[in-house]
Amino acid sequence: MLVLSIILSLGFVFLSIILIHYVSVSKQNETKDNNSSLSGSMGWPFIGETISFFKPHRSDSIGTFLQQRVSRYGKVFMSNLCGGKAIVSCDQELNMFILQNEGKLFTSDYPKAMHDILGEYSLLLATGEIHRKLKNVIISFINLTKSKPEFLLCAENLSISMLESWKNCREIEFHKEVKMFTMSVMVNQLLSIKPEDPARRYVLQDFLTYMKGFVSLPVPLPGTAYTNAIKARKRLSTRVMGMIKQREHEEQEMKKGLREEDFLDVIMSNEDLNYEEKVSIVLDILLGGFETSATLLSLVVYFLAKSPNDLQKLKEEHESIRAKKGDEELLNWEDYQKMEFTQRVMSEALRCGNIVKTVHRKTTHDIKFKAEYVIPKGWKVFPIFTAVHLDPSLHENPYEFNPMRWTDKGKMNKKTTAFGGGVRVCPGGELGKLQIAFFLHHLVLSYRWKIKSDEMPIAHPYVEFKRGMLLEIDPTT
C-alpha cells in the first residue's frame, strides 16, 4: 500500500507540474508579443496544439481550431505545432509573401515522418539546386504529355471503359473508382503499364498505404501507419528500380525498339540524375498525378450534385461539343480548349474543396512583414490556403459553390492558391485538369447521379470523403 501511495502521489505531482506549466504557458502567450503584436497560445507541453490543428474537419470549412483562433487572435497568430514555435497565417498577403520567398527567407520544413517515407529526393522536400533539377524534369514530363495525342487517347479510352463498366450498377464508390482511373492513366503514360496488367492494382494499393503514413507519428513498430508506409514506399521503389534495370538490359540486348517509348525512357536518358533521383521522380509524378486528380474529380462531382443549375450548364457545354463531332469520334486538344465552363467548375471545386490545406515552412532569418509582424528565425510557418479561399473579405458568399465567379480568372487567381505558389507551385495542375475534363465529358452525357445526404469532403489533411463518395447512378439513355 505504501508503494502504491508513493506512486499515486508522484503521479499527482507530475500531473500538477504539467497542468501548472500548461496554464502558465497559455497565460504567457495570451498576451501580445511586444515586438510583433502577435498573440496566440502554445497549448500543452511538448505536443503544443498539433493534435487540434490537424484534427479532421470538413475540407470546405476552415475547421473549429482556426475559427476559434482567428476570432480570438486575428488572421495571424502564434502556436506550438509539430514540435516547435510556429506562426499560423490566414492572411492572403502574408501567405503570398511566404510562398514567393521560398529559398530566400523561408525553407521547406516537413515532419520527420514525411522525410522518412518520401525520401530525400522527393520534390516536396528537396531544396536549392536539387529541387530545381528535379522540378525541371517533371515540368518536361508535363509539357511533353499534356497535348500529346497518345495521352489524350489514353485518358479518353480509360474514361469510356470505366463508365461502361458501371452500366449494370446502381451504386458505385466513386472516389475509389476514379483513383483507379487516374492511376491507370499515369502508369500507362509513365511506365507503359496497361489497364489489364495486375501491377496497376498493386501500385495503387501501395500508394494508398504510402499516403496514410504522411500524417502518422514516426513510430517504428510493426503494423503502424508509419512502418507500413515505409514498407510500401520500398516496394514501389523496388518495382520502379527493377523496371529501370530491365530496360537497361534491353538496351544492351538491342530490344528497346520492340516497345513504344514512354517517359521512364526519357528519365533514364538523363545523365544528370542518379538512380535514387530517377526513382523519386517517378513516384512524385505518380503520387501527384493520381491522388490530386482523383480528389479534384470527386470534389467536382460532389459540388455538382448539390448544384443542379451548374450541372445543367456543364452538360449543355459538353452536348454542344459532342454535337459537332461524329458518333464515336474522340476528343482532341481543340475540344478541351472550348471547355470554358468546365474550367470554371474545376477551379471553383479547388477553391471550395481545398485539396491542400497548408504547407510546412520555417524561417531562415528574422523577418519583419510590413509594420505588423515580426517572425523570429527558426520558427515554423504555416500559410493556410483554406482560410484565404473561404475569406469573406476576398470572396462574396465564400461558402457558396459558384463557378461564375471565375469569369475574371486573372483576378481570382490572385485570391487563390489551390496549387501552391512561388518556386513550389504544383507543375502538374493543367495535366490533371485535362484528364478530369475528358472524364467529365463522358460522365455528364452518360449518367445522372445523387450523393448521400450526409456525404462531405474531410481534410485529414489530405481530402477523403465521409462515405467514400457513394453515388446512386442512373444512365441517361
Side-chain angles (χ1 to χ4, degrees):
M1 289 294 293
L2 179 62
V3 173
L4 179 60
S5 298
I6 292 172
I7 292 172
L8 290 173
S9 298
L10 288 173
F12 178 76
V13 170
F14 179 70
L15 288 174
S16 299
I17 291 171
I18 288 179
L19 289 172
I20 291 169
H21 178 72
Y22 169 68
V23 171
S24 65
V25 167
S26 296
K27 285 184 177 180
Q28 175 186 346
N29 291 311
E30 287 288 341
T31 60
K32 290 186 177 181
D33 186 286
N34 292 329
N35 295 321
S36 63
S37 300
L38 285 173
S39 56
S41 62
M42 291 297 176
W44 290 93
F46 313 121
I47 63 172
E49 299 184 305
T50 306
I51 295 174
S52 298
F53 180 73
F54 286 109
K55 183 179 179 181
H57 61 85
R58 293 185 64 123
S59 74
D60 54 354
S61 77
I62 64 173
T64 303
F65 176 85
L66 289 175
Q67 286 174 350
Q68 292 176 345
R69 299 307 185 280
V70 170
S71 175
R72 187 178 303 170
Y73 306 120
K75 289 184 179 180
V76 183
F77 58 89
M78 297 188 298
S79 186
N80 181 355
L81 301 171
C82 300
K85 293 180 178 179
I87 296 295
V88 179
S89 170
C90 298
D91 179 81
Q92 178 204 12
E93 290 186 66
L94 180 54
N95 286 3
M96 291 306 299
F97 177 79
I98 294 166
L99 295 174
Q100 291 168 357
N101 283 280
E102 166 83 21
K104 302 173 187 174
L105 303 175
F106 303 90
T107 189
S108 176
D109 184 48
Y110 284 91
K112 180 184 186 310
M114 298 270 297
H115 283 261
D116 294 345
I117 295 165
L118 290 171
E120 64 177 306
Y121 295 114
S122 170
L123 190 66
L124 192 67
L125 306 176
T127 59
E129 182 59 27
I130 293 176
H131 178 266
R132 186 197 63 78
K133 179 174 67 173
L134 298 176
K135 184 176 180 180
N136 285 342
V137 176
I138 292 176
I139 289 174
S140 70
F141 168 72
I142 305 302
N143 292 336
L144 281 170
T145 304
K146 66 181 181 182
S147 58
K148 190 171 68 170
E150 292 83 2
F151 173 72
L152 305 182
L153 181 65
C154 173
E156 186 163 18
N157 281 337
L158 286 170
S159 299
I160 294 169
S161 175
M162 176 158 282
L163 293 170
E164 285 181 347
S165 73
W166 298 349
K167 277 189 175 179
N168 297 319
C169 301
R170 288 293 170 262
E171 274 192 346
I172 55 159
E173 291 183 70
F174 186 79
H175 196 44
K176 180 180 178 180
E177 290 281 298
V178 295
K179 281 184 178 181
M180 181 57 74
F181 161 69
T182 55
M183 175 60 77
S184 297
V185 174
M186 295 311 298
V187 295
N188 179 271
Q189 292 300 298
L190 191 58
L191 305 173
S192 294
I193 295 177
K194 304 301 180 186
E196 63 274 11
D197 191 330
R200 180 184 62 148
R201 288 193 175 275
Y202 298 140
V203 170
L204 175 60
Q205 188 55 54
D206 278 338
F207 265 109
L208 296 178
T209 303
Y210 181 47
M211 285 190 59
K212 288 178 182 177
F214 291 170
V215 289
S216 66
L217 293 174
V219 180
L221 296 175
T224 63
Y226 169 78
T227 299
N228 290 341
I230 288 179
K231 288 181 177 179
R233 207 264 183 194
K234 186 176 181 180
R235 287 193 298 271
L236 289 164
S237 298
T238 300
R239 183 181 294 276
V240 174
M241 184 66 79
M243 296 181 75
I244 291 174
K245 296 290 188 181
Q246 180 182 348
R247 293 190 183 191
E248 287 179 341
H249 178 71
E250 287 175 357
E251 285 187 9
Q252 292 175 356
E253 298 292 321
M254 305 297 287
K255 295 179 180 179
K256 183 178 177 181
L258 298 177
R259 58 174 175 77
E260 293 183 7
E261 185 175 81
D262 57 26
F263 196 70
L264 182 57
D265 293 311
V266 177
I267 293 174
M268 288 173 56
S269 67
N270 190 324
E271 297 180 356
D272 291 336
L273 302 172
N274 61 40
Y275 278 122
E276 289 76 15
E277 289 171 335
K278 291 174 182 178
V279 169
S280 191
I281 285 172
V282 171
L283 298 185
D284 278 352
I285 293 175
L286 287 176
L287 178 61
F290 107 87
E291 175 61 27
T292 304
S293 299
T295 301
L296 176 53
L297 181 47
S298 294
L299 286 169
V300 166
V301 169
Y302 169 80
F303 287 116
L304 287 174
K306 300 164 74 70
S307 311
N309 291 338
D310 293 319
L311 176 55
Q312 182 58 34
K313 286 181 185 177
L314 185 70
K315 186 175 181 180
E316 289 170 0
E317 178 173 84
H318 287 279
E319 286 174 337
S320 175
I321 292 170
R322 178 51 51 191
K324 297 173 184 176
K325 304 185 76 68
D327 289 344
E328 296 185 5
E329 185 181 353
L330 298 178
L331 298 169
N332 54 41
W333 181 253
E334 289 69 32
D335 294 320
Y336 174 65
Q337 292 177 312
K338 295 174 186 175
M339 299 178 186
E340 294 183 6
F341 189 69
T342 305
Q343 292 288 344
R344 293 173 186 170
V345 166
M346 291 189 287
S347 295
E348 183 67 350
L350 282 167
R351 185 194 69 83
C352 292
N354 298 289
I355 294 176
V356 179
K357 175 179 177 177
T358 187
V359 291
H360 297 239
R361 299 291 181 265
K362 182 170 70 176
T363 55
T364 56
H365 302 74
D366 288 338
I367 298 167
K368 186 171 185 179
F369 180 71
K370 296 185 173 179
E372 298 177 76
Y373 310 127
V374 175
I375 308 175
K377 178 182 178 180
W379 278 43
K380 298 176 183 293
V381 182
F382 294 85
I384 309 297
F385 304 149
T386 307
V388 173
H389 294 165
L390 301 174
D391 188 337
S393 70
L394 298 172
H395 309 283
E396 185 178 355
N397 299 321
Y399 294 96
E400 176 188 343
F401 180 78
N402 177 16
M404 294 310 294
R405 73 172 84 237
W406 287 86
T407 301
D408 188 344
K409 185 178 178 181
K411 183 178 179 181
M412 283 298 297
N413 281 337
K414 294 178 181 178
K415 299 190 289 184
T416 55
T417 47
F419 291 112
V423 297
R424 290 189 183 271
V425 64
C426 176
E430 191 62 38
L431 190 65
K433 285 184 174 182
L434 178 56
Q435 57 181 314
I436 291 168
F438 275 34
F439 190 97
L440 285 172
H441 174 81
H442 292 283
L443 177 65
V444 299
L445 297 179
S446 303
Y447 289 97
R448 293 178 287 269
W449 65 87
K450 293 181 182 178
I451 58 174
K452 299 299 182 182
S453 60
D454 61 342
E455 185 63 277
M456 66 183 74
I458 300 173
H460 282 278
Y462 57 86
V463 175
E464 286 289 345
F465 290 82
K466 181 179 179 181
R467 301 286 296 271
M469 270 296 284
L470 193 63
L471 296 188
E472 296 177 25
I473 59 172
D474 183 31
T476 55
T477 56

